[in-house]
């Protein structure tokens, strides 16, 4: 099973699908390995079977797979049917699939067709957002910011301030790649003029770049945001009068954190990274919509400046022990909300 989990981590383009690994074993020998490589394409079990030089070797074998095999027709046929068809004798799973269209049904199908099933219920951080989404019926929400030793995220409210070092910047790019949505407010769009892209990787499914604004019509169309083809979603109180690029969608309404997250959940998006600014972060924290906090702490002091998560009556929250990683002269601090 450890080998299966290592195999699963190779999947980098699964988008809203979980990362899954499979290992086929017979007579104490590994016959083949496979993982779910790309959203909408073959699952780990099928990829492991494809790598057999002789498909008949699967008969009587044991399949180790990190997640319960699917039992429904989606973008691909059910894996459980293939497992039974190939004559696999036993399936050892690392976790029951929390998705209600699968959960327990794959196990039942296999057992009904005389396949032995063992559930290890392995503890892993492999598909944290996927598991959270189906347990809580909403995306996993991460608040991320860089700050100085005196807790400032900007030196001047109207000018972007550089805080983090290069290694922290590179790490934050990796953090972006692990989320399906990057969300900011209109002040961050105007002042920081960000691209919100993942520049360290060429992703098949890049994060959706989402912005909450009061009026879409005052947005500067020369902003860096519009200079790449990754999808852009605007949440605006006013209807659009611009001629916008094809990669831009406008959602019109009276938006607040609860409504925005509800829409993301409806779209099946499992992870949201809130990058800024201070007021937007505070809005989400005030509503109790924060599950994880990532802070890049720089070896600087600004004195006067804009503090993080500011200008709201923030409720008391309990967080886990801090996970601290040194990034040259900066620190990366990660913590999870408890309860």
């Amino acid at each position: 099973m450890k080998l299966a989990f290592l195999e699963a981590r190779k999947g980098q383009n699964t988008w809203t699908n979980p990362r899954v690994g499979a290992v086929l074993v017979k007579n104490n020998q590994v016959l083949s390995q496979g993982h779910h490589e790309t959203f909408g394409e073959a699952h780990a079990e099928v990829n492991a079977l494809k790598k057999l030089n002789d498909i008949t070797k699967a008969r009587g074998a044991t399949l180790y797979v990190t997640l319960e095999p699917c039992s429904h027709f989606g973008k691909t046929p059910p894996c459980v049917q293939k497992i039974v068809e190939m004559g696999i004798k036993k399936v050892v799973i690392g976790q029951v699939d929390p998705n209600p269209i699968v959960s327990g049904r794959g196990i039942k199908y296999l057992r009904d067709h005389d396949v032995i099933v063992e559930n290890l219920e392995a503890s892993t951080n492999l598909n944290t957002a996927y598991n959270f989404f189906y347990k809580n019926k909403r995306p996993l929400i991460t608040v991320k910011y860089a700050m100085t030793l005196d807790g400032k995220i900007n030196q001047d409210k109207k000018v972007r301030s550089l805080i983090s070092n290069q290694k922290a910047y590179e790490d934050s790019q990796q953090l972006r790649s692990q989320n399906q949505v990057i969300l900011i407010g209109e002040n961050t769009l105007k002042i920081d003029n960000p691209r919100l892209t993942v520049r360290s990787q060429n992703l098949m499914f890049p994060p959706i770049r989402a912005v909450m604004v009061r009026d879409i019509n005052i947005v500067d169309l020369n902003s860096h945001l519009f200079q790449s083809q990754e999808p852009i979603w605007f949440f605006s109180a006013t209807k659009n009068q611009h001629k916008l690029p094809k990669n831009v969608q406008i959602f019109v309404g009276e938006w607040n954190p609860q409504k925005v997250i509800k829409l993301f959940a409806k779209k099946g998006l499992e992870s949201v990274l809130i990058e800024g600014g201070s007021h937007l972060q505070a809005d989400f924290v005030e509503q109790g919509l924060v599950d994880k906090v990532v802070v890049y702490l720089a070896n600087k002091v600004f004195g006067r400046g804009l503090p993080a998560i500011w200008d709201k009556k923030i409720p008391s929250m309990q967080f886990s022990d801090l996970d601290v990683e040194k990034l040259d002269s900066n620190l990366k601090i990660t913590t999870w909300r408890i309860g």
Side-chain angles (χ1 to χ4, degrees), residues 168-184:
Y169 165 79
E170 291 168 359
D171 190 272
S172 70
Q173 289 286 305
Q174 182 66 20
L175 182 63
R176 282 183 176 180
S177 74
Q178 296 165 355
N179 285 269
Q180 292 158 4
V181 181
I182 303 169
L183 178 65
I184 63 170

Side-chain angles (χ1 to χ4, degrees), residues 148-211:
T148 59
L149 293 171
D150 56 340
K152 304 302 190 303
I153 64 170
N154 229 33
Q155 195 164 21
D156 186 316
K157 290 184 179 180
K158 297 181 181 179
V159 180
R160 182 189 179 198
S161 302
L162 294 178
I163 296 176
S164 301
N165 63 18
Q166 181 63 25
K167 198 164 184 179
Y169 165 79
E170 291 168 359
D171 190 272
S172 70
Q173 289 286 305
Q174 182 66 20
L175 182 63
R176 282 183 176 180
S177 74
Q178 296 165 355
N179 285 269
Q180 292 158 4
V181 181
I182 303 169
L183 178 65
I184 63 170
E186 65 177 278
N187 284 339
T188 298
L189 178 65
K190 182 168 36 177
I191 295 168
D192 289 2
N193 193 18
R195 289 178 173 82
L196 299 182
T197 53
V198 180
R199 291 182 283 282
S200 58
Q201 300 178 42
N202 184 21
L203 298 175
M204 187 177 294
F205 301 99
I208 293 164
R209 300 171 294 161
V211 189

Side-chain angles (χ1 to χ4, degrees), residues 64-130:
Y64 290 82
V65 59
T66 57
L67 191 69
E68 176 183 7
C70 67
S71 56
H72 66 290
F73 282 90
K75 295 182 181 298
T76 60
C79 290
V80 289
Q81 289 187 5
K82 192 70 173 177
I83 290 168
V84 171
E85 179 189 334
M86 292 295 101
I88 291 172
K89 181 181 178 180
K90 182 178 179 180
V91 175
V92 182
I93 66 171
Q95 176 195 333
V96 174
D97 195 329
N99 187 336
I101 65 173
V102 180
S103 189
R105 290 179 171 86
I107 293 173
K108 184 178 185 303
Y109 183 96
L110 292 171
R111 286 175 174 163
D112 286 348
H113 289 79
D114 300 321
V115 178
I116 300 167
V117 179
E118 182 181 344
N119 177 16
L120 297 183
E121 283 299 330
S123 178
T124 174
N125 61 356
L126 180 64
N127 293 302
T128 303
Y130 178 83

Side-chain angles (χ1 to χ4, degrees), residues 244-262:
L244 295 171
K246 292 181 180 179
N247 63 325
V248 178
Q249 288 190 58
I250 312 295
F251 298 91
V252 179
E254 294 297 323
W255 294 104
N256 59 40
Q258 294 282 356
K259 289 181 179 179
V260 169
I261 293 303
K262 188 175 181 179

